[in-house]
């Protein structure tokens, strides 16, 4: 009886590990999409308003991981955005963090038109990153769950 319970727990643990890995990939997609929405909102605000950027970042923040990061960027506006991204607990890859670190290096250091162009270029690249992450997640979530179930069956 104990052996059967142990095998059941091993199977459940392996399946849970596969599911959690798959959910991590989906969290990355959601986080990148959230950043894209927040930065898109910031770009629109920047186009129509000449208010200071810390105020614009606070309004564009919203909720979710991107909102937390933008609020942190507001608090540390003169510091590099990359430091804020390294400290934040976000489900992002190093490539994603590098792309978003450009956000802190551009805003507030150039004239409005240059900031708009740089932000639009960042949004375009972030859109490509979101699509790549979405395709990767779509392809690998099933693989992760299948590997978890298979590993559980071998136990």
């Amino acid at each position: 009886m104990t052996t059967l319970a142990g095998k059941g727990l091993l199977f459940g643990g392996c399946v849970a590990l596969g599911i959690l890995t798959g959910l991590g990939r989906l969290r990355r997609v959601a986080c990148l999409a959230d950043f894209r929405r927040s930065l898109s909102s910031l770009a629109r605000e920047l186009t129509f308003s000449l208010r200071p950027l810390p105020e614009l970042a606070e309004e564009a923040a919203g909720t979710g991981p991107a909102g937390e990061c933008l609020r942190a960027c507001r608090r540390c506006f003169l510091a590099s955005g990359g430091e804020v991204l390294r400290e934040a607990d976000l489900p992002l890859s190093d490539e994603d963090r590098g792309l978003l670190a450009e956000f802190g290096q551009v805003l507030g250091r150039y004239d409005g038109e240059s900031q708009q162009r740089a932000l639009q270029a960042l949004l375009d690249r972030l859109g490509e990153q979101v699509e790549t992450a979405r395709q990767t997640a779509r392809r690998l979530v099933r693989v992760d769950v299948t590997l978890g179930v298979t590993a559980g069956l071998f136990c």
Side-chain angles (χ1 to χ4, degrees), residues 74-150:
R74 181 178 186 264
R75 287 190 302 269
C76 308
F77 193 74
L78 297 176
S80 170
E83 292 174 16
V84 173
L85 285 170
R86 276 191 293 278
E87 293 171 7
D89 182 29
L90 301 171
L92 300 175
S93 68
D94 290 338
E95 185 180 353
D96 299 336
R97 289 175 191 270
L99 182 64
L100 291 170
E102 293 178 19
F103 167 69
Q105 295 170 358
V106 170
L107 292 180
R109 299 203 174 135
Y110 302 108
D111 62 270
E113 189 175 314
S114 297
Q115 289 181 80
Q116 289 173 350
R117 283 195 307 265
L119 194 53
Q120 189 58 47
L122 175 63
L123 284 171
D124 293 341
R125 290 178 40 213
L126 193 56
E128 294 169 7
Q129 195 78 358
V130 167
E131 190 55 38
T132 302
R134 187 173 285 132
Q135 290 172 356
T136 301
R138 189 178 301 131
R139 189 180 73 242
L140 293 180
V141 166
R142 289 186 197 133
V143 172
D144 293 334
V145 173
T146 303
L147 285 175
V149 170
T150 304

Side-chain angles (χ1 to χ4, degrees), residues 40-60:
S40 179
S41 174
L42 183 64
R44 282 191 304 276
E45 287 289 328
L46 187 61
T47 301
F48 299 112
S49 177
L50 295 176
R51 289 182 296 160
L53 285 171
E55 288 179 24
L56 291 176
E58 180 69 26
E59 280 188 23

Side-chain angles (χ1 to χ4, degrees), residues 21-40:
T21 303
L23 288 176
R25 294 182 196 280
L26 295 174
R27 281 185 55 225
R28 176 178 174 237
V29 171
C31 186
L32 284 172
D34 190 32
F35 266 105
R36 189 165 194 285
R37 277 190 301 276
S38 292
L39 292 178
S40 179

